[in-house]
Amino acid sequence: MAKKPYYITTAIAYASGKPHIGNTYEIVLADAIARYKRFIGYDVRFQTGTDEHGQKIETKAFESLSTPKEFVDEKAGEIRRIWDLMNTSYDRFIRTTDADHELQVQKIFKKLYDHPSGHLAS
């Protein structure tokens, strides 16, 4: 008998600095739920990650004399290092600058542009 799937995700931490207590609280809670669901037999997919876009990131990158990509690479690395230090059991750490994420967003926007009425066929 196949395990029942269970999907859990967190809000993605904003990569403008180190995670704050709210990010940490959320990842600990999500991790506890994911571990419990695995323990009772679910096929769990636990996803977390970072949001790496926005004016604040551009400004902070400029102030640190780096490009926005260099800046978020460092910050996302630090966030992931902290989650790994806490032994978080996520299955995927996604970054909004990941190539596969960018491709999916482009597909969604193309559908929206092609169907401005909002009636999207799947």
Side-chain angles (χ1 to χ4, degrees), residues 25-42:
Y25 180 67
E26 180 182 25
I27 194 83
V28 167
L29 290 177
D31 186 47
I33 293 166
R35 288 171 188 265
Y36 174 72
K37 289 293 193 176
R38 286 187 193 108
F39 178 75
I40 63 172
Y42 283 80

Side-chain angles (χ1 to χ4, degrees), residues 30 41 43-44 53 77 93 98 120:
D43 180 19
V44 174
H53 296 90
F93 187 95
D98 287 343
L120 299 178

Side-chain angles (χ1 to χ4, degrees), residues 21-86:
I21 192 68
N23 302 124
T24 306
Y25 180 67
E26 180 182 25
I27 194 83
V28 167
L29 290 177
D31 186 47
I33 293 166
R35 288 171 188 265
Y36 174 72
K37 289 293 193 176
R38 286 187 193 108
F39 178 75
I40 63 172
Y42 283 80
D43 180 19
V44 174
R45 171 125 171 118
F46 174 18
Q47 185 168 292
T48 191
T50 51
D51 180 355
E52 303 177 8
H53 296 90
Q55 186 67 45
K56 187 174 184 179
I57 287 175
E58 182 180 28
T59 300
K60 287 193 169 223
F62 177 78
E63 290 169 356
S64 69
L65 304 175
S66 61
T67 67
K69 181 70 168 120
E70 292 167 340
F71 182 81
V72 295
D73 283 349
E74 178 186 333
K75 297 305 176 188
E78 179 69 4
I79 292 167
R80 188 171 189 164
R81 185 191 68 76
I82 292 168
W83 290 175
D84 290 347
L85 182 67
M86 295 179 351

Side-chain angles (χ1 to χ4, degrees), residues 65-114:
L65 304 175
S66 61
T67 67
K69 181 70 168 120
E70 292 167 340
F71 182 81
V72 295
D73 283 349
E74 178 186 333
K75 297 305 176 188
E78 179 69 4
I79 292 167
R80 188 171 189 164
R81 185 191 68 76
I82 292 168
W83 290 175
D84 290 347
L85 182 67
M86 295 179 351
N87 196 30
T88 307
S89 67
Y90 61 83
D91 298 293
R92 171 110 194 252
F93 187 95
I94 191 164
R95 297 176 55 186
T96 57
T97 57
D98 287 343
D100 63 324
H101 181 271
E102 289 181 349
L103 179 63
Q104 294 306 316
V105 171
Q106 289 168 0
K107 287 180 183 179
I108 290 167
F109 269 87
K110 181 169 181 358
K111 272 190 170 184
L112 292 171
Y113 289 134
D114 291 347

